[in-house]
Each structure stands twice: as structure tokens, then as C-alpha cells.
């Protein structure tokens, strides 16, 4: 996975608008606010620049990983329109157009004027006409009225910012009023983030949605209350990313939880690896989520092709 060059150039161009020391200070302040669950509001254009400098690459990697997984499972999906709900700087549309390059219509809902402004500036750098011509609407998720219909609706890192008592109401509205086919919800890969996804999953199944990913079934989630289902995406750090975060490693891992549902039937996967495979001498231990619940499976070298496949598998991989 590589971040589009035109997006990277846009981030670099915006970041160059302020001294690096000030950018580092703003990144530190925003990061601390997010980590301590304080006010996450981006209150200035400079803070929006800081946000895209340190968060946009990681969130791009996450959304890209989710959409790639969905495309691999349902190869016949060919969306022509995308609705990004709580769009921030528009990360989801960049990831979506990297997966499906013939998307024709993109609409983004965002309440923060500074995020809309920086999102439009980044879009102007794009080589993709759908991104350049994307429609930005200033909208508060808690006060949504009529929603435009789109083939895929994406709500990434946005449902969790709402009060718990309105989350199910918003999810129901997105499903019934906005999604022609697919609804995707992504949250941080934390215990709290997964609890949001788990409730969303229950709500959507109750409304008749067909689960595509990551689950291999639509039964009650087998993950107990002391655990959480999450995955990880890796993104190469840009030069500005390393500077603002004082990162020593050339990459960053972003943990996330998600649910994807469709209004159409799709071939369900048989199982998914939900922990890092444990590679031992002559065998591999896999933790799998299956239609029959969580299973710990040992694959031996004598199992031939299945063993070879297991060695190439990783946390989050589909396992057939």
C-alpha cells in the first residue's frame, strides 16, 4: 500500500506553510487531547494542517486496508458513488479511489470548516477528476436531514465522536436513507472503539443487513467483554510525519476495528485470523473466528498446502 503521490505532495505543501517547531507543538497538543479523550475539535486552519501531517497517512492506510479486504471478498463490487460521513480532510475518498479508480461521484459531509477548507485544498492537488470535483457539504451528524443516496457509505472515526445515545439512530439513518448497497464503519482498534463497532453490528443485523467483513458469520459476536476484535495496518512514514512525531521507525502501525455490511448477499468467508499466527517448529497455531465461534487451530507441516498458506498468512487474513 502506497499513499498517492498527489496526496503526499498536498500534505507536504500544506505543512510547509508554518515553521516546523510550531507544527511539532501543535501535533503534540492535538495528540495529547486525543489520547486523554479531551476536546478533539480542530479550532484553526493551522491545527488542521497539524492533523493531516500526523494522522492522515495512518487513517489512509486503515481505510485502504478495509476497502481492499472488501474488494477481495466481493470482487463484483464496482461502486460509482461514495458518501463520506464525518469526512475530516477527506481521507476516505483518497483511499476509495485508490481501490476503485472509476468512481464517478463523491460527496463528503463534515461540520468543521477548517477540515473542509484543507480537504478542498488537498483535492485541488489530485490527478483524479472525481476527487477534484467532489462535493463538500457542511453538516453535523447529530442533525442530519435528508441524505443523498450513494453506492458506498463510509463513516470512519466519526460515529465514536457522537454521544452513545444517538449512535444507533445515526447508523440506522445511514443504512436506511443513504446506502444504496454498502455501509462501512471504522473506529480505533481499542476496547471502546470495538464496543462501538459491536453495537453497530448488532443494530445493522437487526435491520436485515448482510455482513461482509470482517466477520465470517452474522451470529452473535463471540468476542467476550474483556477482549476486543481489532486489526492493524502499516504505513511508511513521510519525512514530515517523522519530524512532527519524532519517529525513529520508518513506519507506523495503526490499529482499528470495523464492520462492513451490504444490502445484497455476498459469499461469506469461512474464517478470519484474529491474532498473530504463532509459528512453531513444524507447526503453526492460528486463532480463528469462524461461524462456530472462536477456534484455536494447529496446522502441521504434514498438512502440505494448508501449512504453506498458513506460513504466508498474517493477523487479519481471511483463512479458507
Amino acid at each position: 500500500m502506497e499513499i498517492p503521490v498527489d496526496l503526499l505532495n498536498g500534505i507536504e505543501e500544506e505543512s510547509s506553510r508554518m515553521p516546523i517547531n510550531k507544527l511539532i507543538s501543535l501535533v503534540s497538543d492535538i495528540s495529547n487531547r486525543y489520547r486523554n479523550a479531551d476536546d478533539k475539535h480542530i479550532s484553526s486552519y493551522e491545527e488542521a494542517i497539524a492533523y493531516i501531517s500526523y494522522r492522515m497517512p495512518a487513517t489512509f492506510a486503515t481505510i485502504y486496508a478495509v476497502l481492499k479486504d472488501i474488494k477481495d471478498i466481493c470482487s463484483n463490487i464496482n461502486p460509482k458513488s461514495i458518501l463520506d460521513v464525518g469526512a475530516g480532510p477527506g481521507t476516505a475518498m483518497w483511499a476509495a479511489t485508490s481501490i476503485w479508480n472509476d468512481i464517478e461521484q463523491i460527496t463528503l459531509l463534515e461540520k468543521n470548516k477548517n477540515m473542509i477548507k484543507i480537504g478542498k485544498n488537498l483535492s485541488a492537488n489530485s490527478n483524479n477528476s472525481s476527487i477534484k470535483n467532489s462535493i463538500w457539504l457542511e453538516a453535523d451528524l447529530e442533525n442530519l436531514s435528508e441524505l443523498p443516496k450513494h453506492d458506498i457509505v463510509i463513516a470512519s472515526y466519526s460515529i465514536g465522536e457522537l454521544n452513545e445515545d444517538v449512535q444507533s439512530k445515526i447508523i440506522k439513518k445511514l443504512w436506511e436513507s443513504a446506502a444504496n448497497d454498502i455501509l462501512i464503519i471504522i473506529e480505533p482498534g481499542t476496547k471502546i472503539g470495538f464496543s462501538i463497532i459491536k453495537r453497530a453490528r448488532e443494530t445493522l443485523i437487526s435491520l436485515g443487513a448482510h455482513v461482509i467483513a470482517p466477520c465470517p458469520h452474522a451470529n452473535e459476536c463471540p468476542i467476550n467483554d474483556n477482549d476486543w476484535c481489532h486489526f492493524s495496518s502499516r504505513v511508511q512514514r513521510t519525512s514530515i510525519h517523522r519530524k512532527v512525531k519524532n519517529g525513529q521507525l520508518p513506519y507506523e502501525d495503526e490499529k482499528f476495528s470495523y464492520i462492513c455490511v451490504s444490502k445484497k448477499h455476498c459469499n461469506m468467508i469461512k474464517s478470519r485470523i484474529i491474532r498473530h499466527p504463532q509459528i512453531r517448529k513444524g507447526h503453526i497455531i492460528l486463532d480463528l473466528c469462524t461461524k462456530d465461534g472462536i477456534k484455536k487451530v494447529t496446522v502441521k507441516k504434514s498438512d502440505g498446502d494448508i501449512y504453506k498458506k498458513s506460513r504466508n498468512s498474517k493477523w487479519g487474513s481471511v483463512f479458507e
Side-chain angles (χ1 to χ4, degrees):
M1 187 282 303
E2 292 185 359
I3 300 174
V5 173
D6 41 353
L7 175 57
L8 287 177
N9 290 340
I11 293 174
E12 293 281 347
E13 182 179 333
E14 291 294 329
S15 301
S16 67
R17 297 182 187 277
M18 72 174 81
I20 187 64
N21 289 339
K22 184 172 184 179
L23 188 59
I24 291 172
S25 176
L26 286 172
V27 165
S28 177
D29 180 54
I30 296 171
S31 180
N32 288 334
R33 278 155 41 193
Y34 270 66
R35 190 179 299 112
N36 298 323
D38 293 333
D39 181 16
K40 297 181 180 181
H41 180 71
I42 300 298
S43 60
S44 68
Y45 190 75
E46 288 183 333
E47 283 195 348
I49 293 174
Y51 178 88
I52 65 167
S53 299
Y54 95 101
R55 282 297 293 158
M56 202 168 183
T59 54
F60 175 92
T62 290
I63 301 168
Y64 181 94
V66 169
L67 298 181
K68 177 67 164 58
D69 184 43
I70 293 165
K71 184 180 181 181
D72 289 344
I73 294 171
C74 295
S75 57
N76 61 334
I77 292 176
N78 187 30
K80 297 302 180 183
S81 57
I82 299 286
L83 175 65
D84 187 0
V85 180
T91 313
M93 73 172 167
W94 288 90
T97 52
S98 296
I99 298 291
W100 298 285
N101 57 18
D102 56 350
I103 290 173
E104 298 171 356
Q105 180 185 355
I106 301 171
T107 306
L108 306 98
L109 306 183
E110 173 57 44
K111 70 177 181 179
N112 189 298
K113 288 183 173 63
N114 292 302
M115 283 296 198
I116 293 174
K117 182 179 178 181
I118 203 164
K120 287 181 175 180
N121 286 347
L122 292 173
S123 298
N125 282 289
S126 178
N127 297 317
N128 185 298
S129 61
S130 295
I131 292 179
K132 276 184 176 294
N133 299 321
S134 57
I135 299 170
W136 288 81
L137 301 176
E138 187 178 340
D140 187 338
L141 298 190
E142 294 194 34
N143 298 296
L144 290 178
S145 53
E146 186 176 347
L147 290 170
K149 284 272 192 179
H150 288 71
D151 294 339
I152 293 183
V153 177
I154 303 173
S156 59
Y157 301 91
S158 56
I159 297 297
E161 295 184 356
L162 304 173
N163 293 328
E164 187 175 325
D165 59 344
V166 301
Q167 288 177 9
S168 292
K169 181 178 72 173
I170 297 301
I171 290 167
K172 182 178 180 182
K173 190 174 185 67
L174 294 177
W175 174 248
E176 294 180 340
S177 302
N180 276 332
D181 185 8
I182 290 173
L183 173 60
I184 302 163
I185 302 173
I186 305 171
E187 289 293 327
T190 61
K191 194 171 183 179
I192 293 174
F194 174 63
S195 69
I196 295 167
I197 294 298
K198 191 174 182 179
R199 288 195 302 272
R201 180 182 185 274
E202 292 169 355
T203 297
L204 290 163
I205 290 174
S206 73
L207 295 172
H210 302 288
V211 176
I212 293 180
C215 319
H217 59 80
N219 305 325
E220 182 179 351
C221 178
I223 304 292
N224 62 50
D225 292 338
N226 295 319
D227 199 359
W228 62 98
C229 178
H230 66 290
F231 306 98
S232 181
S233 60
R234 175 165 291 184
V235 62
Q236 297 300 312
R237 282 176 167 157
T238 63
S239 59
I240 191 67
H241 197 194
R242 288 196 296 271
K243 289 176 183 176
V244 298
K245 295 198 74 172
N246 193 26
Q248 303 303 312
L249 295 174
Y251 61 85
E252 179 172 301
D253 293 325
E254 175 79 2
K255 293 181 173 60
F256 61 95
S257 296
Y258 75 103
I259 182 68
C260 173
V261 296
S262 174
K263 294 189 175 179
K264 303 173 185 176
H265 283 285
C266 181
N267 293 329
M268 298 197 75
I269 63 173
K270 290 184 179 179
S271 63
R272 189 179 294 274
I273 301 172
I274 57 172
R275 297 285 184 274
H276 285 296
Q278 301 175 51
I279 301 177
R280 303 286 187 262
K281 186 176 181 180
H283 68 278
I284 301 169
I285 302 171
L286 301 176
D287 289 283
L288 302 177
C289 182
T290 76
K291 65 179 182 179
D292 299 317
I294 305 299
K295 291 185 177 182
K296 192 176 287 289
V297 175
T298 299
V299 181
K300 299 178 182 178
K301 202 168 187 177
S302 58
D303 291 325
D305 289 342
I306 298 177
Y307 178 79
K308 291 178 182 178
K309 181 180 178 180
S310 299
R311 284 192 64 88
N312 293 326
S313 296
K314 58 184 180 179
W315 174 24
S317 293
V318 172
F319 193 77
E320 301 289 349

